[in-house]
Amino acid sequence: MEELKKAAVQGEDKDLLVRLVMDGFHRIVMHYGAWFAEVAHQVGMENALAAEQTVWDASLGNQLKRIGKTLGFSVEDGVPSVLKEMPPEKLMDLIEKIGINWLANDGIWFQAVENKFGMGDAKRCNDTCWTRYSPFEASQIKQLLNLPEQGGIPALKKALAFRMYAFINQQSVEDVDENCIIFRMNDCRVQAARKRRGLPDYPCKSAGMVEYPYFAKAIDARIETECIGCPPDEHPDEWFCAWKFTLVENLA
């Protein structure tokens, strides 16, 4: 560290210092993820999710406070003040951009594994990731919206509208009755892009069979999920995939 300080004072290796700053963020993200994965492995996903929320609030608060002092931005209630000063339309644009970045990050990982190990391994990694990400996303949304532990179909409907996909895709919900809905992904950013390039649908059903049931169960353990159709299944032009969610009251 003393060598870095000396180099900085002398104006040397500034590029190295800049790259170290960016690399520091990279290391934090990787270490955070490694901790979460291992806690989930050791004590179970439900316990890991509970621990992660405590860790995130404390960790983010510490990081923002320290970085804010150096970069000159204030933090209010654990949030950079600049966000609270943004108009709603700019916040919505930012949320959409974050959603696109999330999807792009997912695609970059998939392609990296596919290019090195093949489609089979990429799909297995992708499907397994959803067993962790879907419960995490559901847990985040439940806290964000203060949803009850057994909120049933009404809670699921609200939660589906706050998934990352909801910020970048077009989706709809049909009420069958008070205990059942049909969810449709009317326009999928990934599939629409493939369609524009003249490519067939990406066969995402194996991921969906993990993603949607895990999400629904994390919202309310009584909810059962049925796939109506998802590529490589045939589907109408009005939607790419469709899922039926039913609340089973006497579920053991």
Side-chain angles (χ1 to χ4, degrees):
M1 190 65 180
E2 290 302 318
E3 291 183 4
L4 284 174
K5 288 181 179 179
K6 183 179 179 181
V9 171
Q10 295 176 349
E12 300 173 1
D13 291 330
K14 183 177 179 181
D15 181 62
L16 175 61
L17 296 178
V18 171
R19 288 188 287 118
L20 270 174
V21 169
M22 300 307 296
D23 189 59
F25 286 112
H26 188 183
R27 296 185 206 183
I28 290 172
V29 171
M30 288 298 294
H31 199 190
Y32 192 97
W35 259 104
F36 179 76
E38 186 58 23
V39 173
H41 173 69
Q42 294 291 343
V43 300
M45 178 60 72
E46 186 174 347
N47 291 325
L49 288 172
E52 189 278 336
Q53 191 58 63
T54 300
V55 172
W56 176 252
D57 291 340
S59 178
L60 183 64
N62 287 337
Q63 292 182 53
L64 288 175
K65 183 177 179 180
R66 293 190 181 99
I67 293 174
K69 287 181 179 179
T70 299
L71 297 183
F73 64 81
S74 60
V75 179
E76 182 181 346
D77 299 325
V79 177
S81 298
V82 64
L83 292 178
K84 293 192 173 186
E85 296 165 0
M86 283 184 181
E89 59 273 14
K90 194 165 185 178
L91 285 170
M92 286 299 301
D93 182 65
L94 179 59
I95 290 169
E96 181 183 8
K97 297 301 188 297
I98 290 172
I100 294 172
N101 282 349
W102 166 80
L103 183 63
N105 181 69
D106 181 67
I108 290 168
W109 260 113
F110 191 100
Q111 290 175 15
V113 177
E114 180 186 7
N115 291 339
K116 191 169 182 64
F117 304 107
M119 175 65 76
D121 282 335
K123 286 181 68 65
R124 280 194 294 273
C125 290
N126 180 53
D127 296 357
T128 301
C129 280
W130 281 109
T131 68
R132 299 186 179 98
Y133 181 75
S134 274
F136 168 76
E137 186 174 39
S139 176
Q140 291 299 109
I141 294 171
K142 284 176 76 172
Q143 183 183 27
L144 179 70
L145 302 180
N146 195 27
L147 298 176
E149 198 59 39
Q150 289 192 324
I153 294 299
L156 179 61
K157 286 176 64 176
K158 290 181 181 179
L160 287 168
F162 280 82
R163 295 189 66 212
M164 294 293 278
Y165 272 131
F167 306 145
I168 55 178
N169 289 347
Q170 293 179 14
Q171 57 190 46
S172 60
V173 174
E174 175 189 345
D175 292 311
V176 177
D177 56 46
E178 62 181 8
N179 290 323
C180 181
I181 59 172
I182 294 176
F183 171 88
R184 298 181 179 90
M185 191 65 75
N186 302 106
D187 189 20
C188 173
R189 194 178 186 92
V190 171
Q191 302 289 23
R194 292 178 63 86
K195 189 174 182 179
R196 287 194 299 271
R197 297 198 300 269
L199 299 172
D201 289 341
Y202 169 71
C204 55
K205 187 173 183 177
S206 64
M209 292 298 292
V210 179
E211 171 190 349
Y212 286 97
Y214 272 71
F215 184 86
K217 288 287 187 185
I219 296 297
D220 190 322
R222 300 171 297 169
I223 297 177
E224 293 289 292
T225 304
E226 176 187 345
C227 180
I228 295 175
C230 184
D233 297 341
E234 294 292 331
H235 61 84
D237 292 337
E238 290 75 25
W239 50 264
F240 285 98
C241 69
W243 306 84
K244 184 177 182 180
F245 299 102
T246 307
L247 182 70
V248 182
E249 294 282 3
N250 61 349
L251 186 63

